[in-house]
Amino acid sequence: MSDNRPGLLIVFEGTDGTGKSTQLKLLATVLVERGFSVVSTFEPSNGIYGTQIRELFTNRKKISPEEELDLFLADRKDHVDKLIAPSLKGGKIILCDRYYLSTIAYQGAAGLDPDHILARNDFAPVPDLALLFHAPLATGIQRITEGRGDTLNDFEKEDYLQKVATQFEQLQLPCIKRIDAERDIEAIHQDVLALVNPLLRSL
Ligand code: TMP
């Protein structure tokens, strides 16, 4: 456990379409069944800055990469202050779909320095565990377009996502555990449980 805090922060990271949101839901169900108090959340959040970010999805070029970084950081600060920090203090297990590894990878892919991005996140509680889901880009894109019936938004264009994937590959932080997401849902879920179970002993 980080920072001697009573709760746990587990984040789900990776390029789009790697199945991380599905895995978050499966884990939440198991933890609730076992009697833990679970908070499932996501970034960009539903707060004021998160809402502005979602509006950008349809037209990325409206703002510069620096302004984009500022918005993601403002959203994270708001999310940490209002939900993540109080939940950690309250002994809850927070499952967060994307967190600052996404900022390093996505805004890093947009040309900003990854170390600078990490340093600007120093206000954010360090995750106890960052599950980094990895699958070939083509699999993720196919899942978005066919599985979800969606078109790709401006954050999901293939050449950009290739750069994002490279940023994720290069990330080295103690909280990261990599998961091969190109397998069936149940096999991946078992891997997730094997990584989470040891952390639960501290709660
Ligand atoms: P999602 O709701 O599908 O996960 O979409 C969020 C998009 O926002 C996704 O394409 C990744 C992007 N993103 C960033 O660029 N930086 C960040 O810090 C976060 C949290 C998300």
Side-chain angles (χ1 to χ4, degrees):
M1 203 181 350
S2 309
D3 304 338
N4 272 342
R5 57 203 185 195
L8 275 180
L9 175 60
I10 302 173
V11 301
F12 290 67
E13 295 278 16
T15 45
D16 307 79
T18 46
K20 59 190 170 41
S21 310
T22 304
Q23 292 298 330
L24 188 155
K25 286 189 197 114
L26 286 174
L27 178 62
T29 304
V30 169
L31 294 177
V32 168
E33 276 168 11
R34 291 193 200 163
F36 290 102
S37 184
V38 176
V39 175
S40 296
T41 186
F42 52 87
E43 292 190 0
S45 77
N46 269 341
I48 47 164
Y49 300 106
T51 307
Q52 282 183 41
I53 291 168
R54 286 187 194 284
E55 283 165 11
L56 279 179
F57 283 7
T58 45
N59 184 6
R60 185 121 195 246
K61 293 200 180 60
K62 263 192 231 157
I63 62 167
S64 68
E66 287 78 9
E67 288 170 317
E68 195 177 280
L69 173 64
D70 286 346
L71 263 185
F72 278 110
L73 291 173
D75 180 46
R76 181 153 309 120
K77 183 102 190 38
D78 189 46
H79 193 209
V80 165
D81 289 349
K82 291 193 175 130
L83 184 70
I84 295 180
S87 303
L88 273 176
K89 220 172 149 195
K92 303 202 163 130
I93 302 178
I94 300 128
L95 306 181
C96 190
D97 192 340
R98 295 197 182 283
Y99 196 53
Y100 60 68
L101 274 65
S102 280
T103 323
I104 299 172
Y106 282 79
Q107 278 59 59
L112 303 183
D113 174 38
D115 292 333
H116 166 74
I117 300 171
L118 180 61
R120 297 237 3 232
N121 276 279
D122 62 354
F123 65 87
V126 174
D128 297 280
L129 177 63
L131 298 166
L132 183 39
F133 293 82
H134 171 80
L137 220 48
T139 311
I141 289 173
Q142 196 182 357
R143 281 185 190 155
I144 296 168
T145 51
E146 289 173 20
R148 293 196 329 222
D150 268 356
T151 51
L152 299 180
N153 68 41
D154 283 2
F155 285 82
E156 295 170 339
K157 300 282 186 262
E158 190 165 354
D159 54 343
Y160 175 60
L161 278 188
Q162 186 55 62
K163 289 189 193 153
V164 173
T166 304
Q167 292 287 342
F168 272 128
E169 271 163 34
Q170 288 172 353
L171 272 177
Q172 302 283 353
L173 292 170
C175 60
I176 294 178
K177 297 284 180 202
R178 292 174 202 273
I179 294 198
D180 173 4
E182 216 197 2
R183 294 169 303 146
D184 65 78
I185 289 176
E186 184 53 31
I188 300 170
H189 176 57
Q190 290 308 320
D191 278 8
V192 170
L193 282 179
L195 290 165
V196 170
N197 278 334
L199 300 178
L200 302 175
R201 292 189 203 115
S202 64
L203 286 186

